[in-house]
Amino acid sequence: MPRRSTEVSEPMYFVLAALLDGPLHGHAIVGKVAELSRERVRPSISTLYGILERLTAQGILAVDREEVVQGRNRRYFRVTDSGKALAAAEAERMHHAAGLVRARPDLGTA
């Protein structure tokens, strides 16, 4: 959610979507977000960790585990039940919003 809002930004949505299949560490999240968004969203590591820290502080994500790989700490994040509910609610919101446009016969999508 952007800093002082209940709105879910596109990068946040894709981070949540990336973690729905199970825990991932930072670099794996970036790759999964890029894959899911068809390379449209590719947050920098610093942006990603800002998102991860905010969502963790809000109880949307949790640290699943930590390990040391090649002398560096690696944290794996997972989606909490609150995070799953948020992802589902955001998907429904976007589905409804898309339907408003798709239903228009003048756009040839009805």
Side-chain angles (χ1 to χ4, degrees):
M1 295 170 236
R3 289 193 169 103
R4 290 174 187 45
S5 170
T6 57
E7 184 179 319
V8 176
S9 70
E10 187 175 33
M12 287 179 185
Y13 178 77
F14 280 107
V15 167
L16 287 171
L19 292 170
L20 288 174
D21 288 333
L24 294 171
H25 60 82
H27 285 285
I29 295 170
V30 169
K32 186 72 170 178
V33 165
E35 174 190 329
L36 293 173
S37 70
R38 298 180 181 164
E39 299 293 328
R40 214 178 65 161
V41 177
R42 189 176 266 286
S44 68
I45 291 296
S46 61
T47 297
L48 174 68
Y49 276 96
I51 291 169
L52 294 173
E53 288 176 17
R54 275 194 306 280
L55 294 179
T56 299
Q58 294 169 351
I60 304 300
L61 300 179
V63 175
D64 186 71
R65 68 185 184 279
E66 295 186 36
E67 63 185 17
V68 176
V69 177
Q70 297 178 347
R72 296 179 67 176
N73 192 36
R74 181 180 283 177
R75 286 187 297 166
Y76 288 77
F77 293 85
R78 64 176 172 78
V79 179
T80 64
D81 289 341
S82 294
K84 290 175 186 174
L86 178 63
E90 183 64 9
E92 182 59 31
R93 184 196 68 78
M94 289 188 298
H95 177 75
H96 173 74
L100 297 173
V101 174
R102 287 187 178 137
R104 295 185 54 96
D106 58 325
L107 296 177
T109 59

